[in-house]
């Protein structure tokens, strides 16, 4: 049968499917469940310098075609997640993991990353440049100057494998400009996409989440074409040494197949993991392997990035 084995930088994974940051990754218990599932890895909830309660509830809603959330970055503080991934990396046969991080200011981001640099952790870090839900804090990666300034500073002291979580871009010029910034740095990966920020879902006459008068990040079916476009746009533009993690709208093996076809080396599940729980990894892995078997693909490198265009 086909293998969904993959690599990000020097790290190998038995399966290219894993959770998306924010879903099923708040506590050690949730992370342990994902780790014990068919997922190839996990990423932690984005950890900040100090723990945060997040926005008032209800702050997540399933919708007909996906989800809307305005969690507001609730998390247990970066140290909690750093301790856990270090604990796991010291266990025999541990999977490789991703530690998601961001500060509430560039200064806090550097404080956190300097602590991770000084720690025993030698796994992957994902800097979240795209949280849409903290009132008064814009999505960092929509500001190319600030993004470049942060990454310039980071790479003066940070030497471990490092990637960034990006918001969706919607304009070809923005793909060009964003890729030009990221190509200046020795990034291991970029992850496309975070939720589409600040959508609005209405039930009868009322919003479905409380924070920000109902505005929140959109995930699920709505976002798949945007996610695929971002994965492929960056696949076309980034230095080949920068790999792509594809996130957005994956709920079947076919969706994962399409992300890989667009260039993704790893594929993350958000909304569907929230709906189905960690058993979803086995279902979607089996669906993806069945498609690969039918097409005669032995591993994901046989078709990764090989999206066909019309003449
Ligand atoms: O509100 C959040 O905690 C959140 N929701 C998202 O859809 N994406 C995020 O990146 C994020 C917080 C970091």
């Amino acid at each position: 049968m086909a293998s969904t084995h993959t690599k990000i930088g020097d790290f190998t994974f038995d399966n290219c499917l894993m959770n998306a940051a924010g879903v099923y990754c708040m506590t050690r218990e949730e992370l342990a469940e994902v780790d014990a599932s068919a997922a190839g890895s996990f990423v932690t909830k984005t950890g900040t310098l100090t723990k945060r309660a997040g926005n008032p509830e209800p702050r997540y809603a399933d919708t007909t075609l996906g989800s809307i959330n305005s969690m507001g970055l609730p998390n247990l503080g970066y140290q909690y997640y750093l301790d856990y991934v270090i604990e796991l990396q010291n266990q025999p046969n541990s999977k490789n993991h991703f530690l998601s991080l961001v500060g509430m200011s560039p200064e806090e981001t550097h404080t956190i990353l300097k602590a991770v640099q000084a720690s025993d952790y030698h796994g992957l870090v994902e800097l979240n440049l795209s949280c849409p839900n903290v009132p008064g804090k814009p999505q960092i990666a929509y500001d190319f100057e600030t993004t470049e300034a942060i990454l310039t500073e980071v790479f003066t002291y940070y030497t471990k494998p490092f990637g960034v979580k990006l918001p969706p871009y919607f304009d070809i010029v923005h793909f060009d400009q964003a890729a030009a910034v990221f190509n200046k740095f020795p990034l291991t990966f970029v992850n496309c996409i975070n939720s589409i920020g600040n959508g609005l879902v209405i039930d009868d006459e009322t919003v479905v989440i409380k924070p920000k008068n109902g505005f929140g990040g959109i995930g699920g079916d709505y976002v798949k074409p945007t996610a695929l476009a971002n994965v492929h746009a960056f696949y076309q533009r980034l230095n080949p040494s920068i790999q792509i993690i594809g996130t957005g709208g994956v709920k079947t093996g076919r969706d994962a197949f399409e992300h890989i076809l667009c260039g993704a080396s790893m594929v993350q599940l958000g909304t569907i993991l929230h709906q189905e729980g960690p058993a979803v990894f086995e279902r979607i892995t089996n669906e993806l392997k069945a498609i690969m078997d039918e097409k005669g693909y032995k591993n994901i490198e046989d078709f990764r990035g090989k999206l066909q265009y019309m003449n």
Side-chain angles (χ1 to χ4, degrees):
M1 207 188 191
S3 163
T4 56
H5 174 277
T6 193
K7 254 186 116 176
I8 298 286
D10 294 332
F11 299 88
T12 57
F13 304 88
D14 285 345
N15 189 0
C16 64
L17 299 181
M18 60 180 290
N19 70 303
V23 183
Y24 233 98
C25 58
M26 182 75 82
T27 62
R28 293 164 74 105
E29 290 71 27
E30 286 182 340
L31 289 162
E33 267 193 71
V34 175
D35 214 36
S37 77
S41 182
F42 68 61
V43 58
T44 63
K45 175 65 185 173
T46 302
T48 49
L49 189 57
T50 52
K51 68 179 177 198
R52 289 171 53 83
N55 292 338
E57 296 182 342
R59 58 193 185 182
Y60 186 105
D62 286 309
T63 67
T64 330
L65 295 175
S67 64
I68 182 167
N69 88 84
S70 183
M71 305 298 288
L73 205 31
N75 76 93
L76 297 167
Y78 84 92
Q79 191 70 51
Y80 175 93
Y81 304 104
L82 177 59
D83 289 346
Y84 188 49
V85 289
I86 291 175
E87 188 179 310
L88 290 183
Q89 90 183 351
N90 293 332
Q91 292 177 3
N93 304 319
S94 170
K95 294 176 183 176
N96 293 308
H97 301 112
F98 294 74
L99 178 64
S100 175
L101 302 167
V102 77
M104 300 309 292
S105 65
E107 293 67 35
E108 279 192 17
T109 293
H110 297 309
T111 302
I112 297 166
L113 287 174
K114 283 175 183 171
V116 177
Q117 174 69 27
S119 77
D120 289 335
Y121 182 59
H122 50 67
L124 291 147
V125 158
E126 176 175 285
L127 180 64
N128 188 348
L129 296 178
S130 45
C131 180
N133 298 330
V134 179
K137 301 275 180 195
Q139 292 161 84
I140 299 167
Y142 283 147
D143 178 342
F144 297 133
E145 257 178 58
T146 302
T147 297
E148 183 165 348
I150 290 172
L151 293 177
T152 300
E153 177 75 15
V154 165
F155 284 106
T156 63
Y157 59 84
Y158 200 81
T159 59
K160 299 178 184 184
F162 179 90
V164 288
K165 178 78 172 273
L166 300 180
Y169 298 100
F170 301 94
D171 192 287
I172 299 298
V173 169
H174 292 163
F175 290 137
D176 292 341
Q177 291 172 341
V181 171
F182 300 127
N183 277 334
K184 292 183 184 176
F185 301 100
L187 293 166
T188 303
F189 67 91
V190 302
N191 185 340
C192 308
I193 58 170
N194 207 317
S195 54
I196 296 185
N198 296 300
L200 191 54
V201 173
I202 299 170
D203 180 27
D204 189 15
E205 298 187 14
T206 311
V207 299
V208 299
I209 55 172
K210 184 171 176 183
K212 294 171 65 179
N213 289 339
F215 285 67
I218 303 295
D221 293 359
Y222 313 98
V223 315
K224 193 179 83 168
T226 298
L228 294 176
N230 276 260
V231 168
H232 198 56
F234 283 106
Y235 182 73
Q236 292 170 312
R237 288 167 176 76
L238 291 180
N239 302 332
S241 58
I242 306 179
Q243 289 178 265
I244 322 264
I245 298 176
T247 306
V250 177
K251 65 177 187 186
T252 65
R254 173 68 205 181
D255 300 324
F257 181 83
E258 291 178 12
H259 269 267
I260 297 165
L261 204 58
C262 287
S265 294
M266 193 125 202
V267 177
Q268 297 187 336
L269 310 183
T271 298
I272 198 69
L273 171 60
H274 191 272
Q275 289 169 351
E276 293 187 21
V280 74
F281 291 109
E282 191 172 352
R283 173 177 69 77
I284 297 182
T285 303
N286 289 338
E287 291 171 4
L288 174 58
K289 285 182 175 175
I291 293 167
M292 291 170 67
D293 282 343
E294 196 186 309
K295 289 175 174 282
Y297 295 138
K298 300 252 176 301
N299 57 63
I300 70 169
E301 291 309 311
D302 288 347
F303 63 99
R304 188 173 64 82
K306 297 187 180 158
L307 177 65
Q308 295 175 25
Y309 309 135
M310 294 183 187
N311 294 317

